[in-house]
Amino acid sequence: MPTKSIAFANQKGGVGKTTTVISLAACLAEMGKRVLVIDFDPQANCTSGLGQEKLEGHSVYDALLNGQPLTPLVKPTPYPNLDLVPSEEDLAAAEVDVARVDNFLQRFQTAVAPVRTAGMYDFIFVDCPPSLGILTMNALVGVDRILIPLQCEYYALEGLTVILRLVEHLRSSGANPALEVEGILMTMFDSRTNLSHQVVEEVRKHFQEKVYRAIIPRTVRLSEAPSYGQPITHYDKHSAGATAYKSLAREFLKRQTAEAQAAAAAAETAPAATEPAPAAPPAAPA
Ligand SMILES: Nc1ncnc2c1ncn2[C@@H]1O[C@H](COP(=O)(O)OP(=O)(O)O)[C@@H](O)[C@H]1O
Ligand SMILES: [Mg+2]
């Protein structure tokens, strides 16, 4: 399977982007998939959530701005199969600095290309900042897919419409014609409130199978895990949060398999359609 890159994006902060990147990446790594997480947020929550230090000069900043390769920035984590390109505060300057350089929207696409073609990873996850600024746009131009974590709250659908409009724009403008939605994940679900149930129902009604069956509950353990610098699957592997992210990981991989099978079936039928028509039989002798 070629490397698949996915940006985890939503212009709202606090909806579970970083938690989902860390937790899903950790689950997939535990299942034997090779995952590279790229922290694209100057707040560096993904970096600290994986127990890594923020170090000056060790973010994607140089790769975006000076065209330096991404590969030397990749750091191993304590978790097998899981690597990280960390972030730090300096990345905030990229929002301003990258906007001034040529091809500013394609900067990440160029930087990540060698990592993709090396085939070292099954998945590259990009943890986007909570805005639709230059950094998020760069991520969205450079990836195959977007995964949208959506908090179970009243304005969820409005926020979703905004980000989907941007996806459509990136496609139609030619910035990333192949960009697709990988999935929509409902987060911070509180089973005791009617609102949570209503929001899930409403989002499912509009986006059907794009919405993962797995739903992430709001739990204290999930909110504690980052302060210990551990993914939930290590911090408390039997917790409801860990269980939810593990079932998301299984569903996520099932979708990959289904997609690969559909692609293989399409490839099998495609050449037949373009093959030249069989030559006409020789005319019968008169
Ligand atoms: N399902 C959850 N239940 C409880 N707290 C959560 C959950 N998901 C995330 N959090 C906490 O909520 C805050 C925001 O989550 P985060 O993943 O950082 O969101 P984002 O990256 O979208 O800003 C963090 O403190 C995080 O630990
Ligand atoms: Mg975040």
Side-chain angles (χ1 to χ4, degrees):
M1 217 169 40
T3 304
K4 186 177 206 181
S5 53
I6 304 174
F8 291 62
N10 184 324
Q11 67 276 26
K12 284 199 66 180
V15 300
K17 289 183 289 295
T18 302
T19 304
T20 300
V21 168
I22 294 174
S23 312
L24 181 59
C27 290
L28 293 171
E30 223 173 275
M31 292 160 95
K33 299 294 173 192
R34 298 156 309 161
V35 188
L36 173 64
V37 164
I38 303 178
D39 193 343
F40 238 60
D41 186 348
Q43 290 183 66
N45 294 339
C46 201
T47 302
S48 54
L50 280 166
Q52 303 304 296
E53 267 184 88
K54 305 177 204 175
L55 298 169
E56 209 180 310
H58 289 264
S59 73
V60 283
Y61 181 89
D62 280 336
L64 295 178
L65 210 77
N66 307 326
Q68 298 196 347
L70 199 64
T71 328
L73 298 168
V74 175
K75 305 269 181 290
T77 70
Y79 312 102
N81 295 326
L82 181 51
D83 289 346
L84 171 75
V85 173
S87 172
E88 42 101 17
E89 285 83 5
D90 278 3
L91 189 56
E95 284 283 354
V96 179
D97 300 343
V98 173
R100 285 196 279 229
V101 297
D102 288 342
N103 301 325
F104 67 92
L105 280 182
Q106 278 77 31
R107 289 282 160 154
F108 173 63
Q109 190 181 50
T110 309
V112 79
V115 183
R116 296 180 55 133
T117 45
M120 292 156 63
Y121 298 100
D122 296 300
F123 300 105
I124 298 176
F125 286 177
V126 186
D127 185 27
C128 293
S131 79
L132 299 179
I134 298 283
L135 284 169
T136 299
M137 298 264 264
N138 253 275
L140 291 176
V141 167
V143 293
D144 304 306
R145 300 287 172 92
I146 174 175
L147 191 154
I148 309 170
L150 206 60
Q151 198 178 333
C152 297
E153 48 116 49
Y154 188 66
Y155 289 113
L157 266 177
E158 279 84 345
L160 189 55
T161 311
V162 172
I163 195 156
L164 290 175
R165 218 179 288 141
L166 174 65
V167 170
E168 189 44 50
H169 182 70
L170 290 170
R171 262 201 300 250
S172 60
S173 67
N176 187 354
L179 182 62
E180 279 188 53
V181 176
E182 176 70 21
I184 297 167
L185 176 68
M186 303 308 299
T187 64
M188 314 233 186
F189 181 83
D190 185 345
S191 62
R192 296 163 305 180
T193 67
N194 282 337
L195 181 63
S196 270
H197 291 279
Q198 282 163 7
V199 172
V200 171
E201 201 178 305
E202 191 69 13
V203 175
R204 283 232 165 93
K205 197 166 86 193
H206 284 86
F207 298 97
Q208 292 143 26
E209 77 287 354
K210 277 286 172 211
V211 187
Y212 291 106
R213 279 168 206 274
I215 293 178
I216 310 303
R218 184 187 285 279
T219 75
V220 173
R221 300 305 257 171
L222 271 171
S223 64
E224 288 169 349
S227 54
Y228 292 86
Q230 292 177 3
I232 188 68
T233 40
H234 290 75
Y235 177 60
D236 188 350
K237 63 180 176 188
H238 298 300
S239 62
T243 306
Y245 274 111
K246 279 183 207 159
S247 74
L248 172 68
R250 284 192 297 273
E251 186 180 358
F252 175 90
L253 286 183
K254 247 190 214 161
R255 284 193 188 187
Q256 310 307 315
T257 312
E259 220 174 83
Q261 283 167 349
E268 236 170 60
T269 53
T274 53
E275 261 170 29

